[in-house]
Amino acid sequence: MRMTAEDRDRVTAAVTAAEAGTDGEIVTVVARASDAYHDVALHWTLLVMLLVVALLATFPVAIERVHLLVDPWAPVVSIRATLTIALFLVAITFLACRGIFAWRPLRLALTPGATKSRRVRARALAIFRAAAEKRTIGSTGVLLYLSLDERRAEIIADAAIHDRVPDATWGAAMAALVGPLREEHPADGMAAAVGQIGLVLGEHFPRTPGDINELPDRLIIL
């Protein structure tokens, strides 16, 4: 999935329309991914390395066969030779796994869903604190954050909104986002979610005379 210039304009227009009926401010951010997940690749590499050691312990004849290729005339495999062969095989396994797990889609596929959710949430919170939190007069900012590779989104509201609006209220906005996202149309989902967020903000924070646009409406793509 990717976001085009037209997609950006569509989401920006949705934000402008949603804010027309409320004092609230909506910030939209789309990121390709929330983390590189290199630590996940390392964990899988260690697991495979331990598996190799376990297989060598279970089937020691494999070490004998490797040793025969190196020194076919040796009567027995010494402890030194056994450890050297095991170390060599583990090192080869590490290098192979490092190359295999360098492929980003594989790292994502092997990352547990709960880990993805935590990383997306953490990234969304960091962006919210930098871009929206307490940046409006009435603390009425809302962040809609979408992480494309993980196919996960977060809605985080500023203090004044959080005090009045339960988290469950954002369910309609998340539902509006998820459907188009599954069909590879993230911009449509973002625009629909923004519309739902605008309805919630309009109910609790209707537009008042003199309200100004305190945060940019444009979609931010990281």
Side-chain angles (χ1 to χ4, degrees), residues 96-155:
C97 288
R98 182 177 179 182
I100 293 171
F101 293 135
W103 190 40
R104 185 184 187 87
L106 180 59
R107 292 203 307 274
L108 281 169
L110 294 175
T111 301
T115 299
K116 292 178 183 178
S117 297
R118 287 195 300 271
R119 302 284 170 90
V120 170
R121 178 70 177 177
R123 183 76 186 282
L125 282 170
I127 293 173
F128 172 72
R129 287 165 182 155
E133 186 177 26
K134 297 180 181 179
R135 289 183 176 271
T136 60
I137 295 175
S139 294
T140 55
V142 177
L143 170 70
L144 173 60
Y145 173 76
L146 172 62
S147 193
L148 294 175
D149 283 354
E150 293 91 342
R151 295 177 178 270
R152 282 166 169 76
E154 291 285 343
I155 297 175

Side-chain angles (χ1 to χ4, degrees), residues 21-137:
T22 176
D23 284 352
E25 296 287 332
I26 303 172
V27 177
T28 54
V29 178
V30 172
R32 169 55 55 189
S34 295
D35 195 87
Y37 301 102
H38 289 303
D39 58 326
V40 175
L42 179 59
H43 293 159
W44 278 101
T45 298
L46 292 175
L47 182 62
V48 175
M49 291 168 62
L50 289 174
L51 179 61
V52 169
V53 174
L55 289 174
L56 292 176
T58 305
F59 305 102
V61 67
I63 293 180
E64 295 177 2
R65 291 179 179 177
V66 173
H67 188 261
L68 286 175
L69 295 175
V70 179
D71 187 1
W73 301 106
V76 295
V77 183
S78 65
I79 294 178
R80 179 178 181 181
T82 299
L83 294 176
T84 300
I85 292 170
L87 178 61
F88 174 77
L89 293 176
V90 168
I92 291 297
T93 301
F94 172 79
L95 294 175
C97 288
R98 182 177 179 182
I100 293 171
F101 293 135
W103 190 40
R104 185 184 187 87
L106 180 59
R107 292 203 307 274
L108 281 169
L110 294 175
T111 301
T115 299
K116 292 178 183 178
S117 297
R118 287 195 300 271
R119 302 284 170 90
V120 170
R121 178 70 177 177
R123 183 76 186 282
L125 282 170
I127 293 173
F128 172 72
R129 287 165 182 155
E133 186 177 26
K134 297 180 181 179
R135 289 183 176 271
T136 60
I137 295 175

Side-chain angles (χ1 to χ4, degrees), residues 159-176:
I161 299 173
H162 185 71
D163 291 341
R164 290 197 197 178
V165 182
D167 292 340
T169 306
W170 306 115
M174 294 300 291

